[in-house]
Amino acid sequence: MSATIISGAKIARTIREELHGQVAELTAGGLVPGLATILVGDSPASQLYVGMKNRAAAEAGLHSRQSTLPEDTSEAGLLDLIATLNADPEVHGILVQLPLPKQIDEAKVLLAVDPAKDVDGFHPMNVGRLATGDPAVLAPCTPRGIVEMLMRSGHDPAGKHVVVVGRSNIVGKPMAFLLLRQAPGGNATVSVAHSRTADLGALTRTADILVVAVGRPGTVTADMVKPGAVVIDVGTNRVVDLDVDRGYRVVGDVDFDGVQEVAGAITPVPGGVGPMTIAMLLANTVEAAVRLRGGGA
Ligand code: NDP
């Protein structure tokens, strides 16, 4: 058996086209959704991610602006900038690219962003709203993108056993909360595994849908997957490959070649979860703009 490939790149393109139409209508009505991104320091990976987010925002017709601060920025300096953006009526979404330099307390920064503009969904108030099942919350982009990808590829998680491998605040935990919600894209039976899970393979083999967010290539191999299962690979890992010019390849956490022989459907890396994450950032910004204007729950 060879699995169907769920192309996040293709689904994300469709979503971005839909958003483009929605943004055009809002703009005609005098509301231009605005995204402000903040990059502190000069990490090449963070620069790349923020650049991709701003480009995608501009392509969708959003107003987008990037603030780039030096590596030695003080916590107070960053909090000042966030306060300015919180008060700016042209800004509906604020994204602080993580990780932050060590002199800055990440928790304080996430708490400073206006929850109504928290398009990453990391403010504790939004985390709490997600955990209590609020259908109107701005949910973190990666897990929201995974739900959207499952629904649009015909794999409604309702009633299914979903095993999430990884319990981070960015992916694993919000993924579990979204899947548990009594709402479209939810109603799954969810298990969450992590590095202390006793027999990972025994658990993953019971999954109808397996979401893997670990950050280690080859974490899930063919023998750990139930035949016909849907496998979502969140992992984004650079592995050395001297056969390509840049000297590395990007791979997921799942042994793609082996697992695609067993799974019913699988996401590739790259071209799977990554593009969906960016599309959901745009969707969250548009939603935040509409709500801030007072046009929706
Ligand atoms: P974290 O490092 O924050 O969390 C990793 C999780 O994996 C932890 O809960 C850890 O367990 C668990 N884990 C580690 N080793 C094992 C193991 N051997 N067996 C089972 N569980 C294990 O990572 P993130 O959640 O932030 O990211 C995970 C991956 O997803 C990374 O590759 C990241 O780059 C990628 N990512 C991709 C995105 C995209 O848009 N495509 C967006 C965000 C992340 P414990 O808690 O016990 O330490």
Side-chain angles (χ1 to χ4, degrees):
M1 183 164 72
S2 200
T4 306
I5 306 296
I6 303 174
S7 170
K10 224 169 159 180
I11 298 170
R13 208 174 306 130
T14 304
I15 293 171
R16 283 164 63 168
E17 280 164 15
E18 291 166 6
L19 285 169
H20 193 275
Q22 200 187 342
V23 171
E25 272 178 34
L26 290 170
T27 302
L31 175 66
V32 186
L35 173 68
T37 57
I38 303 176
L39 173 65
V40 187
D42 46 19
S43 144
S46 291
Q47 278 173 357
L48 179 73
Y49 293 143
V50 171
M52 283 162 67
K53 289 167 186 173
N54 281 310
R55 261 197 310 282
E59 273 170 31
L62 275 71
H63 162 72
S64 99
R65 78 169 79 138
Q66 178 178 334
S67 304
T68 306
L69 305 178
E71 181 77 27
D72 62 357
T73 297
S74 67
E75 187 178 283
L78 177 55
L79 293 175
D80 277 351
L81 173 60
I82 292 172
T84 306
L85 296 172
N86 280 344
D88 187 334
E90 285 187 359
V91 172
H92 307 99
I94 300 172
L95 178 141
V96 184
Q97 185 65 38
L98 303 177
L100 292 166
K102 56 185 177 319
Q103 74 276 13
I104 299 176
D105 181 347
E106 201 170 285
K108 258 194 204 168
V109 169
L110 297 181
L111 202 56
V113 174
D114 179 349
K117 297 187 177 186
D118 171 36
V119 284
D120 251 342
F122 295 158
H123 189 290
M125 182 188 282
N126 288 331
V127 175
R129 286 178 64 187
L130 178 64
T132 51
D134 184 341
V137 70
L138 291 170
C141 301
T142 300
R144 184 179 169 194
I146 292 170
V147 167
E148 195 70 37
M149 189 160 50
L150 286 170
M151 295 298 278
R152 289 186 185 233
S153 60
H155 301 289
D156 188 338
K160 303 277 167 46
H161 182 209
V162 185
V163 175
V164 180
V165 188
R167 58 175 162 183
S168 72
N169 291 335
I170 293 174
V171 189
K173 280 187 211 144
M175 182 79 261
F177 288 136
L178 272 175
L179 290 164
L180 282 171
R181 278 200 307 198
Q182 290 178 316
N187 289 310
T189 302
V190 184
S191 302
V192 183
H194 45 78
S195 68
R196 304 290 295 273
T197 296
D199 185 346
L200 185 62
L203 181 66
T204 56
R205 276 190 292 277
T206 67
D208 303 310
I209 299 173
L210 180 58
V211 179
V212 190
V214 167
R216 199 188 62 157
T219 300
V220 167
T221 46
D223 59 309
M224 297 167 74
V225 175
K226 178 163 82 174
V230 176
V231 179
I232 307 291
D233 190 353
V234 187
T236 310
N237 310 293
R238 285 183 180 190
V239 294
V240 175
D241 184 349
L242 299 177
D243 288 338
V244 293
D245 283 350
R246 58 185 178 180
Y248 68 87
R249 263 179 316 124
V250 176
V251 301
D253 292 340
V254 172
D255 170 24
F256 184 87
D257 291 342
V259 171
Q260 72 159 339
E261 295 298 326
V262 182
I266 187 168
T267 60
V269 179
V273 174
M276 292 300 296
T277 297
I278 294 183
M280 291 302 108
L281 172 67
L282 307 181
N284 274 351
T285 305
V286 172
E287 273 178 36
V290 170
R291 286 190 204 144
L292 282 161
R293 184 188 60 177

